[in-house]
Amino acid sequence: LETTYRVPVIWEHFQECTCCSESFIRSDHPIVSDIILNKISLDYTLTLMAASGHQAEKAKHDTMEKYKGEYILCVEGSVPMGADGNYCCIAGRSAKDILLEAAEGAKAIIAWGSCASNGCVQAAYPNPTDATPIHKIIKNKPIIRVPGCPPIGEVMAGIIVHMVTFGRLPELDQMGRPKAFYAKRVHDSCYRRPYYDAGLFAESFDDENAKKGYCLYKVGCRGPMTYNSCGTIRWNNGVSFPIQSGHGCIGCSEDDFWDNGPFYER
Ligand code: SF4
Ligand code: SF4
Ligand code: F3S
């Protein structure tokens, strides 16, 4: 383990809830332990590293120095640009400063989740901290946007393994999202789609049509407007996804989804 080269990774946490990390560590194929132990050297992450305090900060700075231009920077969370960045500080420094420093020597940046990709709930109106996604701050590095609140663990793991295996970014769409996972709408792979096409809809969450598994469009499903792999890869090692659990898609991988009208109406 000590002699095999593994791609160094620095994983920053800013304004976020850590569920992107929680999702990642549940990836089953590829299994996350193989990635962390054999494919990458996860040199800094507030969630998973044993070190803390000065020791942790030293590990990060050692990596930035020794592997300048080589390491992958993963960012979980948005960056508050208001109040000169002071809404989110780690080790006495603002998220904005930390991001600018870590981005400088990065080979590429992965913006995990809707927080880092589009601001997510912190950026919802009136966005009191001026929460800003990574691509609006860093302009001189390749950035992969991986939206979703959180993204699917296997999607996150798949992107890392692609970069480590091929030494390059996966193919991205015009919004910077990997085409392999974001080319289709949830609606296009939804198993309830035949009901939609036949005009069979649940009218409320507890009516007979809902019990029959009819389409959830009339109770607010945003699958027709949402690009993600939930219908194919699913969640919890392929067990289920929101629509299979009886709830419409709320469009968690789309820009500004918190502001796109209410999820529920009375
Ligand atoms: Fe949490 Fe969602 Fe942000 Fe990920 S994108 S850190 S799951 S709020
Ligand atoms: Fe489309 Fe949603 Fe109906 Fe599935 S439940 S077919 S995603 S509208
Ligand atoms: Fe999110 Fe919709 Fe998938 S809410 S988890 S994109 S089904």
Side-chain angles (χ1 to χ4, degrees):
L1 210 93
E2 284 176 2
T3 53
T4 307
Y5 178 78
R6 292 175 294 148
V7 176
V9 173
I10 293 173
W11 186 311
E12 297 283 7
H13 295 256
F14 299 137
Q15 288 194 138
E16 46 88 334
C17 79
T18 309
C19 272
C20 288
S21 288
E22 292 286 345
S23 181
F24 173 65
I25 62 176
R26 281 162 183 78
S27 171
D28 189 45
H29 45 281
I31 194 157
V32 77
S33 57
D34 183 42
I35 297 174
I36 291 177
L37 297 175
N38 300 319
K39 305 271 188 300
I40 64 170
S41 176
L42 189 51
D43 294 348
Y44 182 85
T45 161
L46 299 180
T47 309
L48 298 174
M49 70 193 301
S52 63
H54 294 295
Q55 206 183 22
E57 296 302 311
K58 182 177 182 316
K60 180 169 78 169
H61 284 95
D62 286 351
T63 295
M64 288 195 296
E65 205 174 298
K66 190 171 172 191
Y67 298 105
K68 191 166 182 172
E70 276 180 60
Y71 63 85
I72 296 171
L73 174 63
C74 296
V75 182
E76 186 172 349
S78 64
V79 175
M81 299 298 276
D84 203 23
N86 285 327
Y87 289 113
C88 177
C89 291
I90 300 156
R93 299 179 60 208
S94 71
K96 181 180 151 197
D97 282 353
I98 294 168
L99 173 66
L100 293 176
E101 179 189 57
E104 195 182 330
K107 180 180 180 186
I109 301 174
I110 306 177
W112 289 139
S114 291
C115 289
S117 293
N118 56 46
C120 203
V121 67
Q122 310 88 6
Y125 181 80
N127 191 357
T129 68
D130 193 12
T132 305
I134 306 312
H135 67 282
K136 292 195 176 166
I137 303 170
I138 306 295
K139 303 285 187 187
N140 61 349
K141 295 283 173 180
I143 297 178
I144 306 172
R145 294 169 72 195
V146 190
C149 188
I152 300 168
E154 281 77 10
V155 167
M156 300 172 77
I159 290 166
I160 289 190
V161 168
H162 179 102
M163 293 177 74
V164 169
T165 306
F166 299 110
R168 56 181 156 79
L169 272 59
E171 195 180 350
L172 307 178
D173 65 13
Q174 77 277 13
M175 294 174 71
R177 305 172 300 190
K179 282 186 180 173
F181 303 115
Y182 293 93
K184 285 187 176 171
R185 301 172 303 170
V186 171
H187 189 59
D188 296 324
S189 54
C190 178
Y191 74 102
R192 297 194 192 218
R193 179 64 181 269
Y195 293 119
Y196 176 94
D197 292 339
L200 297 170
F201 300 99
E203 302 286 339
S204 69
F205 284 112
D206 56 357
D207 71 4
E208 278 307 309
N209 288 352
K211 287 177 190 155
K212 287 177 186 161
Y214 287 177
C215 172
L216 300 168
Y217 184 70
K218 289 191 177 177
V219 287
C221 180
R222 294 182 187 172
M225 293 77 89
T226 302
Y227 288 79
N228 207 339
S229 295
C230 305
T232 45
I233 299 178
R234 306 197 183 195
W235 287 81
N236 300 325
N237 306 324
V239 171
S240 186
F241 72 117
I243 291 165
Q244 195 173 338
S245 303
H247 195 290
C249 169
I250 61 170
C252 78
S253 55
E254 292 302 302
D255 281 12
D256 305 323
F257 80 97
W258 291 98
D259 287 332
N260 287 340
F263 298 139
Y264 306 101
E265 286 179 349
R266 300 189 69 182

